[in-house]
Amino acid sequence: MKTLGHWLASPWRRSAAAVIAGALPVLAYPAPSLWWCAYVALVPWLLLLRTAPTGKRAAYDGWCGGFGFMLAMHHWLLPFLHVFTFILAVLLGALWALWGRLAHRLLAGAPSRRRIAAALVVLPSGWLAVELVRSWQGLGGPWGMLGSSQWQVEPALRLASVGGVWLLSFLLVAVNVAVAVLVAVRRARVPAVAGLVATAAATSAAWSFSPRPDVDGEVRIAVVQPGVIDGGKSADHRFDREEQLTRRLAGQDVDLIVWGESSVGFDLGDRPDLARRLAALSRATDAGILVNVDARRSDKPGIYKSSILIGPDGLTGERYDKMRLVPFGEYVPARSLLGWATSVGKAAGEDRRRGTQPVVMNVGNGLRVGPMVCFETAFPDMTRHLTREGADVLVGQSSTSTFQQSWAPEQHASLAALRAAETGRPMVHATLTGVSAVYGPSGQRVGPWLGTDASAAQVYEVPLAHGTTPYVRLGDWTVHGALLILAAWAAGEGVRNLRLRRSAPEPRVRPARTVHGSPARPGR
């Protein structure tokens, strides 16, 4: 330990160690998918913060760790944004600076049982505060929330129906704090074990008593994934391939056919020939077709990404315009200042226009679907709202074609499992080039994934469920509770510091002396 401490005495080595420690949790996400890693991945980072020589250095280690986490989580953006990926990681990593200082304040030295008990709830609350801030879509949205690493763990998915992905993040950080205390603070092992037992008990109770979705039906939904299509006139060739795959669904008794994001590269008002071909496909398959148009609109200015429902007679009038756009991918924030990003990467040359409200579509036979586009599926509040508005099935239309050989396609597909579990509604994640996937109302996988090497039309038998999960009813109560915990702890610290100042003895004032060195006497 002394050798390690000596090695970490160098500021540069300590910073490098913080970056590496911050990056470790990424192993819990797809593609590695070492979900169990999330229960201990924060421990090295916490131990580093605990041993920081000062609170200021701990804040810097928190920043460095946040940089490592953000860079590792978004490394697949490097070919797209180049150097700007590092700039974003530095800016977002700063959100963990206060968390680092908080960890040092609660865990440094020989913490008392009171401080350990506080750490078990305050540090998870601080982590949730960071996730809340970076969940703003202008900062990239809630991609890579710690709780989303548990997308394939059945008990975790059950807990998501109670408190959403936020509750999973809170519990994971609490477990990591307890393990760090067990490793580093012998005299505090009793409260650490008590914290683990309390976490396990609360988790078990929530798991046991949380309501399960009542499955009361089934629909057949087809996903059409054309695969990678490059070269000139790729939009035309993609449409031809989608049309070919969709025709194979004739006679398969499907209720809805879903195409991926940007599956139609032309406004259907300008291309009535394409609208007629889509209507013919709907008649041939006896199903509605949900396409996604990425084009300049003919009825209003600007480029929109829109989910549009096609029926046997053509456009049904059901349309959803994407509301939350991808920073730099679909618009450049503060373009007058950051427009230079278009010259160093593949940032949007022209800003897409935003939709104004979510839409629940009636696709026939009483089936109602709530469409989202691309990274909107990362936002739990969107699927929660669609569920409350009466959606039977959640649909995400996506395209990760630019990041085909990275971890992004699998990471994106995994998010739908959390959204399904949170809302108690099945979710269809349809893409152009993979990974496409479908999940049932408990977050369980339905049927096969369509990988990045697939060009196919796949039919899924999707179970339907009704009823309302606690998360849909209560919303982000975990976040609100975390903010209250932070406020209470800050108030308690303020009162404690005030009492310490008042109880501190006043400094002794030395008596004044004469020029001869004797104490001065009054009246002389």
Side-chain angles (χ1 to χ4, degrees):
M1 292 296 293
K2 291 183 178 179
T3 303
L4 179 60
H6 178 74
W7 189 84
L8 291 175
S10 166
W12 288 104
R13 289 174 181 172
R14 189 176 187 89
S15 298
V19 171
I20 295 171
L24 288 177
V26 176
L27 296 175
Y29 300 82
S33 287
L34 304 176
W35 60 267
W36 51 266
C37 174
Y39 296 85
V40 294
L42 296 179
V43 172
W45 192 4
L46 286 166
L47 296 179
L48 191 68
L49 296 169
R50 176 181 176 274
T51 58
T54 64
K56 183 177 180 180
R57 178 66 223 193
Y60 189 73
D61 290 343
W63 190 343
C64 290
F67 166 78
F69 180 61
M70 287 289 94
L71 184 62
M73 181 58 64
H74 298 95
H75 72 275
W76 40 269
L77 286 172
L78 280 168
F80 186 76
L81 293 179
H82 302 303
V83 68
F84 212 80
T85 307
F86 291 94
I87 296 174
L88 288 174
V90 168
L91 294 175
L92 292 174
L95 295 173
W96 277 272
L98 286 177
W99 187 78
R101 189 155 193 161
L102 190 63
H104 181 268
R105 171 71 182 85
L106 292 168
L107 299 178
S112 64
R113 292 188 175 187
R114 175 182 172 276
R115 283 168 59 192
I116 294 298
L120 289 171
V121 292
V122 173
L123 288 180
S125 298
W127 185 278
L128 254 63
V130 173
E131 289 197 337
L132 177 65
V133 174
R134 76 179 186 89
S135 291
W136 179 47
Q137 70 96 16
L139 293 178
W143 188 282
M145 294 175 71
L146 189 61
S148 64
S149 65
Q150 305 302 293
W151 64 278
Q152 56 185 328
V153 182
E154 182 181 351
L157 292 172
R158 180 84 63 80
L159 289 175
S161 72
V162 177
V165 69
W166 307 100
L167 179 59
L168 302 184
S169 291
F170 186 97
L171 293 174
L172 286 172
V173 178
V175 170
N176 275 272
V177 172
V179 173
V181 172
L182 285 173
V183 170
V185 189
R186 292 184 179 180
R187 62 190 298 268
R189 286 178 177 174
V190 172
V193 171
L196 284 174
V197 171
T199 301
T203 300
S204 299
W207 187 88
S208 300
F209 295 107
S210 60
R212 297 167 175 79
D214 297 323
V215 176
D216 54 8
E218 186 178 87
V219 292
R220 289 170 58 83
I221 297 179
V223 171
V224 172
Q225 180 177 298
V228 178
I229 297 175
D230 296 320
K233 295 187 176 181
S234 58
D236 290 299
H237 295 156
R238 180 181 300 113
F239 189 95
D240 292 341
R241 179 58 177 162
E242 290 162 333
E243 183 179 35
Q244 181 186 34
L245 291 171
T246 302
R247 286 197 179 280
R248 297 179 184 177
L249 298 171
Q252 295 196 39
D253 192 29
V254 294
D255 297 283
L256 177 67
I257 300 169
V258 184
W259 291 12
E261 177 188 8
S262 305
S263 49
V264 179
F266 310 94
D267 183 82
L268 295 176
D270 281 338
R271 293 291 302 271
D273 58 318
L274 297 184
R276 287 192 295 269
R277 288 165 66 180
L278 286 167
L281 287 175
S282 178
R283 290 192 295 270
T285 57
D286 194 27
I289 304 174
L290 186 66
V291 302
N292 187 269
V293 174
D294 183 2
R296 193 175 303 278
R297 288 182 62 162
S298 58
D299 58 341
K300 61 173 63 176
I303 301 174
Y304 287 79
K305 282 193 175 180
S306 305
S307 302
I308 297 177
L309 183 65
I310 309 296
D313 299 322
L315 279 67
T316 64
E318 300 273 20
R319 179 186 188 116
Y320 165 66
D321 296 324
K322 185 179 182 183
M323 298 169 58
R324 296 181 181 175
L325 304 178
V326 180
F328 297 99
E330 294 169 339
Y331 78 103
V332 176
R335 185 176 286 272
S336 59
L337 295 176
L338 303 177
W340 56 269
T342 60
S343 63
V344 297
K346 299 178 181 178
E350 179 182 347
D351 292 349
R352 299 298 196 271
R353 302 296 181 91
R354 301 177 189 273
T356 58
Q357 61 184 5
V359 174
V360 175
M361 299 180 179
N362 188 343
V363 300
N365 298 322
L367 179 64
R368 291 163 60 85
V369 303
M372 293 160 289
V373 184
C374 191
F375 93 142
E376 289 183 328
T377 62
F379 293 86
D381 66 301
M382 293 198 71
T383 48
R384 179 168 156 259
H385 178 84
L386 289 169
T387 301
R388 296 181 72 173
E389 291 297 312
D392 300 308
V393 178
L394 303 169
V395 177
Q397 295 174 296
S398 177
S399 170
T400 49
S401 306
T402 307
F403 314 107
Q404 194 72 356
Q405 305 304 319
S406 73
W407 294 354
E410 291 185 355
Q411 284 184 15
H412 201 175
S414 70
L415 295 176
L418 269 297
R419 303 293 86 84
E422 289 168 342
T423 59
R425 296 293 183 271
M427 182 158 181
V428 176
H429 180 76
T431 72
L432 287 184
T433 59
V435 173
S436 297
V438 176
Y439 301 92
S442 296
Q444 78 278 17
R445 188 187 299 185
V446 175
W449 275 19
L450 294 181
T452 54
D453 59 345
S455 176
Q458 178 70 41
V459 178
Y460 296 88
E461 295 182 352
V462 183
L464 295 178
H466 293 88
T468 306
T469 65
Y471 177 68
V472 171
R473 287 198 306 270
L474 303 175
D476 299 328
W477 62 267
T478 313
V479 179
H480 301 152
L483 295 179
L484 286 175
I485 289 172
L486 290 175
W489 181 83
E493 287 292 291
V495 171
R496 179 174 174 274
N497 290 335
L498 183 61
R499 288 175 177 173
L500 289 175
R501 290 195 192 98
R502 288 179 176 177
S503 61
E506 295 184 3
R508 296 179 60 186
V509 179
R510 298 182 64 182
R513 296 182 178 273
T514 65
V515 292
H516 301 292
S518 301
R521 295 180 183 178
R524 293 191 61 183

Coordinates of all heavy atoms in Angstrom, one line a residue, residues 432-485:
L432 N -32.4 0.6 -38.9 CA -32.1 0.4 -40.3 C -31.1 -0.7 -40.4 O -31.1 -1.6 -41.3 CB -31.5 1.7 -40.9 CG -32.4 2.8 -41.2 CD1 -31.7 3.9 -41.9 CD2 -33.6 2.4 -42.1
T433 N -30.1 -0.7 -39.6 CA -28.9 -1.6 -39.7 C -28.6 -2.4 -38.5 O -27.5 -3.0 -38.4 CB -27.7 -0.7 -40.1 OG1 -27.4 0.2 -39.1 CG2 -27.9 0.0 -41.4
G434 N -29.5 -2.5 -37.5 CA -29.2 -3.3 -36.3 C -28.6 -2.4 -35.3 O -28.0 -1.4 -35.6
V435 N -28.8 -2.8 -34.0 CA -29.5 -4.0 -33.5 C -31.0 -3.6 -33.3 O -31.3 -2.7 -32.7 CB -28.9 -4.5 -32.2 CG1 -29.7 -5.6 -31.6 CG2 -27.4 -4.9 -32.4
S436 N -31.8 -4.5 -33.9 CA -33.3 -4.4 -33.7 C -33.7 -5.4 -32.6 O -33.1 -6.5 -32.6 CB -34.1 -4.6 -35.0 OG -33.8 -3.6 -35.9
A437 N -34.6 -5.0 -31.8 CA -35.0 -6.0 -30.7 C -36.4 -5.6 -30.2 O -36.9 -4.5 -30.4 CB -34.0 -5.9 -29.5
V438 N -37.0 -6.6 -29.5 CA -38.4 -6.4 -29.0 C -38.3 -7.0 -27.6 O -37.7 -8.0 -27.3 CB -39.4 -7.2 -29.8 CG1 -40.8 -7.1 -29.2 CG2 -39.5 -6.6 -31.2
Y439 N -39.0 -6.3 -26.6 CA -39.1 -6.7 -25.2 C -40.5 -6.7 -24.8 O -41.3 -5.8 -25.2 CB -38.3 -5.7 -24.4 CG -36.8 -5.6 -24.8 CD1 -36.4 -4.7 -25.7 CD2 -35.9 -6.5 -24.2 CE1 -35.0 -4.6 -26.0 CE2 -34.6 -6.5 -24.6 CZ -34.1 -5.5 -25.5 OH -32.8 -5.5 -25.9
G440 N -40.8 -7.6 -23.9 CA -42.2 -7.7 -23.3 C -42.4 -6.7 -22.2 O -41.5 -6.0 -21.9
P441 N -43.6 -6.7 -21.6 CA -44.0 -5.7 -20.6 C -43.2 -5.8 -19.3 O -43.2 -4.9 -18.5 CB -45.5 -6.0 -20.4 CG -45.7 -7.3 -20.9 CD -44.7 -7.6 -22.0
S442 N -42.4 -6.9 -19.1 CA -41.6 -7.0 -17.9 C -40.1 -6.7 -18.3 O -39.2 -6.8 -17.4 CB -41.7 -8.4 -17.3 OG -43.0 -8.6 -16.8
G443 N -39.9 -6.3 -19.5 CA -38.5 -6.1 -20.0 C -37.8 -7.3 -20.5 O -36.6 -7.2 -20.9
Q444 N -38.5 -8.4 -20.6 CA -37.9 -9.7 -21.1 C -37.8 -9.6 -22.6 O -38.6 -9.1 -23.3 CB -38.7 -10.9 -20.6 CG -39.9 -11.2 -21.4 CD -41.1 -10.3 -20.9 OE1 -41.0 -9.3 -20.3 NE2 -42.3 -10.8 -21.3
R445 N -36.7 -10.2 -23.1 CA -36.5 -10.3 -24.5 C -37.6 -11.1 -25.2 O -37.9 -12.2 -24.7 CB -35.1 -10.8 -24.9 CG -34.8 -10.6 -26.4 CD -33.5 -11.3 -26.7 NE -32.4 -10.7 -26.0 CZ -31.1 -11.1 -26.3 NH1 -30.8 -12.0 -27.1 NH2 -30.1 -10.5 -25.6
V446 N -38.1 -10.7 -26.3 CA -39.1 -11.4 -27.1 C -38.5 -11.7 -28.5 O -38.1 -10.8 -29.2 CB -40.4 -10.6 -27.3 CG1 -41.3 -11.4 -28.2 CG2 -41.1 -10.3 -26.0
G447 N -38.3 -13.0 -28.8 CA -37.7 -13.3 -30.1 C -36.3 -13.0 -30.2 O -35.6 -12.5 -29.3
P448 N -35.7 -13.1 -31.4 CA -34.3 -12.9 -31.6 C -34.0 -11.4 -31.9 O -34.8 -10.6 -32.4 CB -34.0 -13.7 -32.9 CG -35.3 -13.7 -33.7 CD -36.4 -13.7 -32.6
W449 N -32.7 -11.0 -31.6 CA -32.2 -9.7 -32.0 C -31.9 -9.8 -33.5 O -31.5 -10.9 -34.0 CB -30.9 -9.4 -31.2 CG -31.1 -8.8 -29.9 CD1 -32.2 -8.8 -29.2 CD2 -30.1 -8.0 -29.2 NE1 -32.0 -8.1 -28.0 CE2 -30.8 -7.6 -28.0 CE3 -28.8 -7.7 -29.4 CZ2 -30.1 -6.9 -27.0 CZ3 -28.1 -7.0 -28.4 CH2 -28.8 -6.5 -27.2
L450 N -32.0 -8.7 -34.2 CA -31.5 -8.6 -35.5 C -30.2 -7.9 -35.4 O -30.2 -6.7 -35.2 CB -32.5 -7.9 -36.5 CG -33.8 -8.6 -36.7 CD1 -34.7 -7.8 -37.7 CD2 -33.6 -10.0 -37.3
G451 N -29.1 -8.6 -35.6 CA -27.8 -8.0 -35.5 C -27.4 -7.0 -36.6 O -28.1 -6.8 -37.6
T452 N -26.2 -6.5 -36.5 CA -25.7 -5.5 -37.5 C -25.4 -6.1 -38.8 O -25.1 -5.4 -39.8 CB -24.5 -4.7 -36.9 OG1 -23.5 -5.7 -36.5 CG2 -24.9 -3.9 -35.7
D453 N -25.4 -7.4 -38.9 CA -25.1 -8.1 -40.1 C -26.4 -8.6 -40.8 O -26.3 -9.3 -41.9 CB -24.2 -9.3 -39.9 CG -24.8 -10.3 -38.9 OD1 -25.7 -10.0 -38.2 OD2 -24.2 -11.4 -38.8
A454 N -27.5 -8.3 -40.3 CA -28.8 -8.8 -40.8 C -29.5 -7.8 -41.7 O -29.5 -6.6 -41.5 CB -29.7 -9.2 -39.6
S455 N -30.1 -8.4 -42.8 CA -31.0 -7.7 -43.6 C -32.3 -8.6 -43.7 O -32.2 -9.6 -44.5 CB -30.4 -7.4 -45.0 OG -31.3 -6.8 -45.9
A456 N -33.3 -8.2 -43.0 CA -34.4 -9.2 -42.8 C -35.7 -8.5 -42.4 O -35.7 -7.3 -42.0 CB -34.0 -10.3 -41.8
A457 N -36.8 -9.2 -42.5 CA -38.1 -8.9 -41.9 C -38.4 -9.9 -40.9 O -38.5 -11.1 -41.3 CB -39.1 -8.8 -43.0
Q458 N -38.6 -9.5 -39.7 CA -38.8 -10.5 -38.6 C -40.1 -10.2 -37.9 O -40.4 -9.1 -37.6 CB -37.7 -10.4 -37.6 CG -37.8 -11.3 -36.4 CD -37.6 -12.8 -36.7 OE1 -36.7 -13.1 -37.5 NE2 -38.5 -13.7 -36.2
V459 N -41.0 -11.3 -37.7 CA -42.2 -11.1 -37.1 C -42.1 -11.5 -35.6 O -41.5 -12.6 -35.3 CB -43.3 -12.0 -37.7 CG1 -44.6 -11.9 -37.0 CG2 -43.5 -11.6 -39.2
Y460 N -42.6 -10.7 -34.7 CA -42.6 -10.9 -33.3 C -44.0 -11.1 -32.7 O -44.9 -10.3 -33.1 CB -41.9 -9.8 -32.5 CG -40.4 -9.7 -32.9 CD1 -40.0 -8.9 -34.0 CD2 -39.4 -10.3 -32.2 CE1 -38.7 -8.7 -34.3 CE2 -38.1 -10.1 -32.5 CZ -37.7 -9.4 -33.6 OH -36.4 -9.2 -33.9
E461 N -44.2 -12.1 -31.9 CA -45.5 -12.2 -31.1 C -45.3 -11.4 -29.8 O -44.6 -11.9 -28.9 CB -45.8 -13.7 -30.9 CG -46.0 -14.4 -32.2 CD -46.4 -15.9 -32.0 OE1 -46.3 -16.3 -30.9 OE2 -46.8 -16.5 -33.0
V462 N -45.9 -10.3 -29.8 CA -45.6 -9.3 -28.7 C -46.8 -9.4 -27.6 O -47.9 -9.2 -28.0 CB -45.5 -7.9 -29.2 CG1 -45.2 -6.9 -28.1 CG2 -44.4 -7.8 -30.3
P463 N -46.4 -9.8 -26.4 CA -47.5 -9.8 -25.4 C -47.9 -8.4 -25.0 O -47.1 -7.5 -24.8 CB -46.8 -10.6 -24.2 CG -45.4 -10.3 -24.4 CD -45.1 -10.2 -25.9
L464 N -49.2 -8.3 -24.8 CA -49.8 -7.0 -24.3 C -50.1 -7.1 -22.9 O -50.5 -8.1 -22.4 CB -51.1 -6.6 -25.1 CG -50.9 -6.4 -26.6 CD1 -52.3 -6.1 -27.3 CD2 -49.9 -5.2 -26.9
A465 N -50.0 -5.9 -22.2 CA -50.3 -5.9 -20.8 C -50.9 -4.5 -20.4 O -50.7 -3.5 -21.1 CB -49.0 -6.1 -19.9
H466 N -51.8 -4.5 -19.4 CA -52.4 -3.3 -19.0 C -52.2 -3.2 -17.5 O -51.6 -4.0 -16.8 CB -53.9 -3.3 -19.4 CG -54.0 -3.2 -20.9 ND1 -54.1 -4.3 -21.7 CD2 -54.1 -2.1 -21.7 CE1 -54.3 -3.9 -22.9 NE2 -54.3 -2.6 -23.0
G467 N -52.7 -2.1 -16.9 CA -52.4 -1.8 -15.5 C -51.3 -0.7 -15.5 O -50.7 -0.4 -16.5
T468 N -51.0 -0.2 -14.3 CA -50.1 0.9 -14.2 C -49.0 0.5 -13.2 O -49.3 0.0 -12.1 CB -50.8 2.1 -13.7 OG1 -51.9 2.4 -14.5 CG2 -49.8 3.3 -13.6
T469 N -47.8 0.7 -13.6 CA -46.6 0.4 -12.6 C -46.5 1.5 -11.6 O -46.9 2.7 -11.9 CB -45.3 0.2 -13.4 OG1 -45.0 1.5 -14.0 CG2 -45.4 -0.9 -14.5
P470 N -45.9 1.3 -10.5 CA -45.6 2.4 -9.5 C -44.8 3.5 -10.2 O -45.1 4.7 -9.8 CB -44.8 1.7 -8.4 CG -45.3 0.3 -8.5 CD -45.5 0.0 -9.9
Y471 N -43.9 3.2 -11.0 CA -43.1 4.3 -11.7 C -43.9 5.2 -12.5 O -43.8 6.4 -12.5 CB -41.9 3.7 -12.5 CG -41.1 4.7 -13.2 CD1 -40.4 5.6 -12.4 CD2 -41.2 4.9 -14.6 CE1 -39.6 6.7 -13.1 CE2 -40.5 5.9 -15.2 CZ -39.7 6.8 -14.4 OH -39.0 7.8 -15.0
V472 N -44.9 4.6 -13.3 CA -45.8 5.4 -14.1 C -46.6 6.3 -13.2 O -46.9 7.5 -13.5 CB -46.6 4.5 -15.1 CG1 -47.7 5.3 -15.8 CG2 -45.7 3.9 -16.1
R473 N -47.1 5.7 -12.1 CA -48.0 6.5 -11.2 C -47.2 7.6 -10.5 O -47.7 8.7 -10.4 CB -48.6 5.6 -10.2 CG -49.7 4.7 -10.8 CD -50.6 4.1 -9.7 NE -49.9 3.4 -8.6 CZ -49.6 2.1 -8.6 NH1 -50.0 1.4 -9.7 NH2 -48.9 1.6 -7.7
L474 N -46.1 7.2 -9.9 CA -45.4 8.1 -9.0 C -44.3 8.9 -9.7 O -43.8 9.9 -9.1 CB -44.8 7.3 -7.9 CG -45.8 6.5 -7.1 CD1 -45.0 5.6 -6.0 CD2 -46.8 7.3 -6.4
G475 N -43.8 8.5 -10.8 CA -42.8 9.3 -11.5 C -41.4 9.2 -10.9 O -41.1 8.1 -10.3
D476 N -40.6 10.2 -11.0 CA -39.2 10.2 -10.5 C -39.1 10.4 -9.0 O -38.3 11.3 -8.6 CB -38.4 11.2 -11.4 CG -38.4 10.9 -12.8 OD1 -38.5 9.7 -13.2 OD2 -38.4 11.8 -13.6
W477 N -39.8 9.7 -8.2 CA -39.7 9.9 -6.8 C -38.3 9.6 -6.2 O -37.9 10.2 -5.2 CB -40.8 9.0 -6.1 CG -40.6 7.5 -6.3 CD1 -41.1 6.7 -7.2 CD2 -39.7 6.7 -5.4 NE1 -40.7 5.4 -7.1 CE2 -39.8 5.4 -6.0 CE3 -38.9 6.9 -4.3 CZ2 -39.2 4.3 -5.4 CZ3 -38.3 5.8 -3.8 CH2 -38.4 4.5 -4.3
T478 N -37.6 8.7 -6.9 CA -36.2 8.5 -6.4 C -35.4 9.7 -6.5 O -34.6 10.0 -5.6 CB -35.6 7.3 -7.2 OG1 -36.5 6.2 -7.3 CG2 -34.3 6.8 -6.5
V479 N -35.5 10.4 -7.6 CA -34.7 11.6 -7.8 C -35.1 12.7 -6.8 O -34.3 13.4 -6.2 CB -34.9 12.2 -9.2 CG1 -34.1 13.5 -9.4 CG2 -34.5 11.1 -10.3
H480 N -36.4 12.9 -6.6 CA -36.9 13.8 -5.6 C -36.4 13.5 -4.2 O -36.0 14.4 -3.5 CB -38.4 13.9 -5.6 CG -39.0 14.3 -6.9 ND1 -40.2 13.8 -7.4 CD2 -38.5 15.0 -8.0 CE1 -40.5 14.3 -8.6 NE2 -39.4 15.0 -9.0
G481 N -36.4 12.2 -3.9 CA -35.9 11.8 -2.6 C -34.4 12.1 -2.4 O -33.9 12.5 -1.4
A482 N -33.7 11.8 -3.5 CA -32.2 12.1 -3.5 C -31.9 13.6 -3.3 O -31.0 13.9 -2.5 CB -31.6 11.6 -4.8
L483 N -32.7 14.4 -3.9 CA -32.5 15.9 -3.8 C -32.8 16.3 -2.3 O -32.1 17.2 -1.8 CB -33.3 16.6 -4.8 CG -32.9 16.4 -6.3 CD1 -33.8 17.2 -7.2 CD2 -31.5 16.8 -6.5
L484 N -33.8 15.7 -1.8 CA -34.2 16.0 -0.4 C -33.0 15.6 0.6 O -32.7 16.3 1.6 CB -35.5 15.4 0.0 CG -36.7 16.0 -0.6 CD1 -38.0 15.2 -0.2 CD2 -36.9 17.4 -0.1
I485 N -32.5 14.4 0.3 CA -31.4 13.9 1.1 C -30.2 14.8 1.1 O -29.6 15.2 2.1 CB -31.0 12.5 0.7 CG1 -32.1 11.5 1.1 CG2 -29.6 12.1 1.3 CD1 -31.9 10.1 0.5

